[in-house]
Amino acid sequence: MNRPRPALAQRGFTLLELIVALVLLGLLSAVLFGSVRLAGQSTDRGEAAVEAAANMRLAQQFLRTNLEAQHPLRMRKMVDWPLLFAGTRDELRYASNLPARVAGGGVWFYRLVVLTSDARSPLVLERMIPDLAADAFPDFTNAERSVLADDIASLQIGYFGRDPDAAPTVEPTWRDTWDDTQRLPLLIRVDVTPKRGAPWPTLYVAPRESPEAGCRAWDVARERCAAV
């Protein structure tokens, strides 16, 4: 007569097996968390890059429009009625129109520069209403300021044209400063390099108005203003 075998006692996890399972679970959780975190960081970097590119395009578009609309204002009380324009390698001063929707429009005096004294190193465009009857060029002590971009490593500006009093037959060249007080450069080149990321595309601008537009009389032979 066959007797039924006693049922085997149920066997649970040993402590070692439980520890191994917990370790594997921890490793899987760490890998999963790292993947999610990496994906989040990649998304944030992508969004930051898109935002930076959009801001760069807006800043360049505004600068192009503003620089192309330069107006040849002249200082009426200074010798030879010099143009309200000055250019160095890292700073540009010029007169241009302000859109009518902003503070009523009009022609303002602008300064494009990187404020290296500011911790954010912003690229700014300062503006003021110039006093053309003054006996000296205006400064920007109390100017209004617009920030075009932050964290800028360098601003480099070039000017394409001829030396002061050079004949029209002289071939124009690029230079780091503009010293001619009677004529605007033929072209202006603006290079902006951020502290992080790729440099901005080089901006080339041709001022639309000729310098003689700011004079009542223009000396063609000497290419300078004869009366304002």
Side-chain angles (χ1 to χ4, degrees):
M1 183 175 179
N2 295 328
R3 296 181 179 179
R5 295 181 179 179
L8 296 175
Q10 293 184 351
R11 180 174 176 272
F13 291 108
T14 66
L15 179 60
L16 180 59
E17 291 172 334
L18 183 60
I19 292 175
V20 171
L22 291 175
V23 170
L24 292 176
L25 180 61
L27 291 175
L28 290 175
S29 299
V31 171
L32 180 60
F33 176 77
S35 300
V36 172
R37 183 179 180 183
L38 181 61
Q41 291 176 342
S42 299
T43 301
D44 292 342
R45 285 195 295 267
E47 291 177 350
V50 170
E51 182 179 1
N55 291 338
M56 177 270 293
R57 285 193 294 269
L58 287 174
Q60 279 205 323
Q61 181 180 359
F62 177 81
L63 277 178
R64 178 182 296 279
T65 302
N66 196 242
L67 288 170
E68 285 180 346
Q70 286 185 62
H71 193 78
L73 290 183
R74 291 181 177 270
M75 300 300 293
R76 299 169 184 168
K77 295 293 182 68
M78 295 177 64
V79 177
D80 291 333
W81 308 289
L83 282 167
L84 207 57
F85 183 94
T88 63
R89 183 179 178 85
D90 53 10
E91 182 178 315
L92 175 60
R93 301 186 179 202
Y94 61 97
S96 183
N97 295 324
L98 185 70
R101 65 180 183 276
V102 182
V107 179
W108 291 55
F109 192 36
Y110 292 87
R111 181 172 78 143
L112 179 67
V113 67
V114 173
L115 298 182
T116 55
S117 59
D118 191 314
R120 297 180 303 166
S121 296
L123 174 66
V124 301
L125 191 63
E126 298 178 333
R127 66 178 185 268
M128 59 169 295
I129 298 177
D131 180 7
L132 301 181
D135 56 3
F137 285 106
D139 58 35
F140 288 82
T141 303
N142 299 313
E144 299 179 24
R145 179 179 297 169
S146 298
V147 176
L148 302 180
D150 285 321
D151 296 323
I152 299 301
S154 67
L155 169 66
Q156 296 183 358
I157 308 172
Y159 309 90
F160 188 70
R162 303 176 181 87
D163 293 333
D165 299 322
T169 55
V170 175
E171 193 71 21
T173 58
W174 284 103
R175 70 261 337 269
D176 292 334
T177 60
W178 188 255
D179 301 319
D180 195 338
T181 62
Q182 295 295 316
R183 296 178 296 187
L184 295 172
L186 301 175
L187 287 173
I188 300 173
R189 182 187 63 218
V190 180
D191 287 298
V192 178
T193 304
K195 290 182 178 180
R196 292 179 294 274
W200 292 12
T202 300
L203 177 65
Y204 292 95
V205 179
R208 290 178 181 173
E209 293 198 62
S210 300
E212 57 266 29
C215 301
R216 287 192 296 110
W218 178 257
D219 187 336
V220 178
R222 300 173 60 220
E223 288 198 311
R224 63 179 53 249
C225 191
V228 295

